Amino acid sequence: MVIAKLMKSIGGKKTAPAKTGAAVKNDGSCVVLDHPQQGEKIASPDYTLRVGTVGDVERVEISIDQGPWLPCRYSVGYWWHDWTGYPAGRHQAEAKAWARDG
């Protein structure tokens, strides 16, 4: 399992601060929360987080503000999570991925 974290700010200015980067496992697997981008303006009450992976990944989950792990869906080469109803302010998101070979 590989885990990556992203801090994002949603509120008055609705911008995302710098990411912590990708987490890479010894076997070359990689997971990165790549959206929102640093400085991106988030003006919508709904947002879709995008997670990129490298390797033979079978499942990705995301946790926001150390909440429950929620499934992501796979489409067009990325993993996605739709986030709605979030309060203004700073939030932390973590993604974890499982390789098919365990």
Side-chain angles (χ1 to χ4, degrees), residues 42-67:
I42 301 170
S44 171
D46 305 315
Y47 191 84
T48 302
L49 289 91
R50 186 174 89 178
V51 179
T53 58
V54 173
D56 193 15
V57 174
E58 70 176 355
R59 182 176 75 188
V60 172
E61 292 181 346
I62 196 160
S63 172
I64 300 170
D65 296 331
Q66 297 180 347

Side-chain angles (χ1 to χ4, degrees), residues 11-25:
K13 294 185 180 178
K14 295 193 177 186
T15 59
K19 295 185 256 183
T20 59
V24 180
K25 194 175 177 184

Side-chain angles (χ1 to χ4, degrees), residues 9-93:
S9 173
I10 299 174
K13 294 185 180 178
K14 295 193 177 186
T15 59
K19 295 185 256 183
T20 59
V24 180
K25 194 175 177 184
N26 292 343
D27 67 359
S29 299
C30 177
V31 61
V32 63
L33 284 160
D34 58 2
H35 278 283
Q37 293 287 317
Q38 181 179 357
E40 180 179 342
K41 303 287 185 195
I42 301 170
S44 171
D46 305 315
Y47 191 84
T48 302
L49 289 91
R50 186 174 89 178
V51 179
T53 58
V54 173
D56 193 15
V57 174
E58 70 176 355
R59 182 176 75 188
V60 172
E61 292 181 346
I62 196 160
S63 172
I64 300 170
D65 296 331
Q66 297 180 347
W69 288 99
L70 306 168
C72 294
R73 70 184 184 285
Y74 184 78
S75 180
V76 296
Y78 293 96
W79 296 85
W80 307 86
H81 178 75
D82 298 321
W83 191 28
T84 62
Y86 49 84
R90 188 176 177 117
H91 300 280
Q92 178 179 330

